[in-house]
Amino acid sequence: MDALIEGFKQFIKKRGLKYTSEREEILREILSTKDHFDVDTLYLQLKSKNSKISKASIYRTIPLLIEGGYIQEVYKKGGQSYYEVTLNKRPHLHFICIKCSEVKEAYDPRLNELIDDLERASNYRFLTFHLEIFGLCPSCREGKVSHETQ
Amino acid sequence: MDALIEGFKQFIKKRGLKYTSEREEILREILSTKDHFDVDTLYLQLKSKNSKISKASIYRTIPLLIEGGYIQEVYKKGGQSYYEVTLNKRPHLHFICIKCSEVKEAYDPRLNELIDDLERASNYRFLTFHLEIFGLCPSCREGKVSHETQ
DNA sequence: TAGAAAGCTGAAAATGACTTGCAATTGAGA
DNA sequence: TCTCAATTGCAAGTCATTTTCAGCTTTCTA
Ligand SMILES: [Mn+2]
Ligand SMILES: [Mn+2]
Ligand SMILES: [Zn+2]
Ligand SMILES: [Zn+2]
């Protein structure tokens, strides 16, 4: 249906890999997710739709999706990696509340400028970056007790 | 000997904790380290000096040192956390080569300005941040075509 | 300064995210 | 349809970090 899905199929085939229903299903589920996601959440989402896909397959598919440019790892929290769909996303930073674990995105053109400048001024080749700011979100700084907690 | 060590002792006692030789030894070793370090390296360093301190104690002491402002977690690499002494360090970013794993620090006042601005413009309380840039270091980008993946 | 309660410590077991081995299954070209 | 390498689910394995627990210090008090 989607040009994106078709592109993924071509990407997979071009690499001499097999285009499986599992791989497509995983990509479709990810594309339907607007938020950041981790493997466990994705697994449960698929399971709730009666999918039989295993976590192992998700773990094996994620590197492919990253190499294909479909998703990116965007931050780590509580020992797990979180990802998001790359499409329609510009580089941005993540604020992580150390109390309630809420994550919020923020964009600032100065960040991209800064990173571009740093790359130009160096002999490095920059590929991606993570900017994670840790602190207290508005409600948690109010000394409220959070019920969501980790 | 050091005012820093004495300050740590006060910090520990003020919290109603016990000031043990292990805690002091760990702090001393960390202060003698100029570079970034991880738990394993620190453990082996201590061991090579005939210290009997266990990894468990290191893992238990690190949060205290962070809360006391003596060290900070500065990035994660290969599934491990890396730390550095906070003293005499300004906030900075880390460039991580995805090929050789080399890590290099970089400072840019614009980064701090940006972060300060973002905090002022929000209702968040910022405590720390990690800016990790992933890419290829000068020697690794020299097209030594690698088949070693990544 | 002895004695006891509260904290600590090392060693080992437990955790939890992620990876890997393997036998059965499936995709894709012939 | 046949063939076989790639892929999958499951279970076992890794590995950093956490936790359990019994013995050992630190502190406080009498
Ligand atoms: Mn994001
Ligand atoms: Mn640093
Ligand atoms: Zn919060
Ligand atoms: Zn390199």
Side-chain angles (χ1 to χ4, degrees):
Chain A
M1 78 188 277
D2 227 350
L4 248 172
I5 299 286
E6 183 55 29
F8 180 54
K9 183 170 183 177
Q10 296 317 313
F11 167 76
I12 289 293
K13 291 189 156 284
K14 193 160 298 173
R15 298 183 65 135
L17 305 174
K18 292 181 180 172
Y19 192 66
T20 64
S21 60
E22 287 84 357
R23 286 175 174 162
E24 181 172 322
E25 218 178 315
I26 289 170
L27 176 55
R28 283 188 187 282
E29 186 59 36
I30 286 174
L31 291 176
S32 78
T33 304
K34 25 228 122 249
D35 272 337
H36 303 142
F37 65 92
D38 58 80
V39 169
D40 222 65
T41 306
L42 180 56
Y43 171 70
L44 292 174
Q45 259 175 46
L46 284 164
K47 195 172 197 182
S48 76
K49 296 182 179 176
N50 296 315
S51 169
K52 301 236 185 77
I53 293 178
S54 68
K55 275 190 192 175
S57 287
I58 295 177
Y59 276 114
R60 286 186 280 231
T61 300
I62 281 179
L64 287 177
L65 293 171
I66 291 177
E67 285 161 35
Y70 297 91
I71 64 175
Q72 273 188 292
E73 193 202 56
V74 282
Y75 58 86
K76 296 182 192 246
K77 194 181 74 178
Q80 311 177 254
S81 290
Y82 284 76
Y83 307 87
E84 72 184 9
V85 173
T86 303
L87 189 69
N88 295 328
K89 280 281 182 181
R90 314 203 109 273
H92 57 280
L93 61 92
H94 294 98
F95 170 78
I96 302 176
C97 179
I98 60 172
K99 199 163 168 189
C100 71
S101 293
E102 179 196 87
V103 176
K104 191 156 180 279
E105 295 185 346
Y107 293 76
D108 193 305
R110 289 174 294 174
L111 177 58
N112 305 328
E113 276 171 36
L114 173 59
I115 298 223
D116 288 347
D117 281 0
L118 287 169
E119 182 174 27
R120 273 191 291 275
S122 72
N123 287 310
Y124 290 81
R125 174 72 201 292
F126 289 1
L127 297 174
T128 54
F129 71 84
H130 292 180
L131 174 50
E132 308 160 30
I133 301 180
F134 302 92
L136 295 171
C137 73
S139 30
C140 289
R141 74 182 294 191
E142 309 263 326
K144 283 188 202 166
V145 177
S146 127
H147 28 284
E148 316 245 353
T149 309
Q150 46 246 5
Chain B
M1 81 189 271
D2 226 353
L4 248 172
I5 299 284
E6 183 55 28
F8 180 55
K9 183 170 182 178
Q10 296 317 313
F11 167 76
I12 289 294
K13 291 190 156 284
K14 192 160 298 173
R15 303 190 84 175
L17 305 174
K18 293 181 178 171
Y19 192 66
T20 65
S21 60
E22 287 83 358
R23 287 174 174 163
E24 180 173 323
E25 219 178 312
I26 289 169
L27 176 55
R28 284 189 188 280
E29 186 60 35
I30 286 173
L31 290 177
S32 78
T33 304
K34 347 128 215 299
D35 271 338
H36 302 142
F37 66 92
D38 59 81
V39 169
D40 221 65
T41 305
L42 179 57
Y43 171 70
L44 292 174
Q45 259 176 46
L46 284 164
K47 195 172 197 180
S48 77
K49 295 182 180 176
N50 296 314
S51 169
K52 300 237 186 75
I53 292 179
S54 67
K55 276 190 191 174
S57 287
I58 296 178
Y59 276 113
R60 287 186 281 232
T61 300
I62 281 179
L64 287 177
L65 293 171
I66 291 176
E67 284 160 36
Y70 297 91
I71 65 174
Q72 271 186 292
E73 192 203 56
V74 282
Y75 57 86
K76 296 184 191 243
K77 194 180 73 177
Q80 308 176 256
S81 289
Y82 284 76
Y83 308 88
E84 73 184 8
V85 172
T86 303
L87 189 69
N88 295 329
K89 280 281 184 181
R90 313 206 109 272
H92 57 279
L93 59 93
H94 294 97
F95 169 77
I96 303 177
C97 179
I98 59 171
K99 202 164 168 188
C100 71
S101 293
E102 178 197 88
V103 176
K104 192 158 181 279
E105 295 186 346
Y107 292 76
D108 193 305
R110 289 174 294 174
L111 177 58
N112 305 328
E113 277 172 35
L114 173 58
I115 299 227
D116 288 347
D117 281 0
L118 286 169
E119 182 174 27
R120 273 192 291 275
S122 72
N123 288 310
Y124 290 81
R125 174 73 201 292
F126 289 1
L127 298 175
T128 55
F129 71 84
H130 292 180
L131 174 50
E132 308 161 31
I133 301 180
F134 302 93
L136 295 170
C137 73
S139 28
C140 288
R141 75 180 293 191
E142 307 259 325
K144 294 169 190 165
V145 184
S146 108
H147 333 279
E148 315 192 37
T149 307
Q150 44 205 32

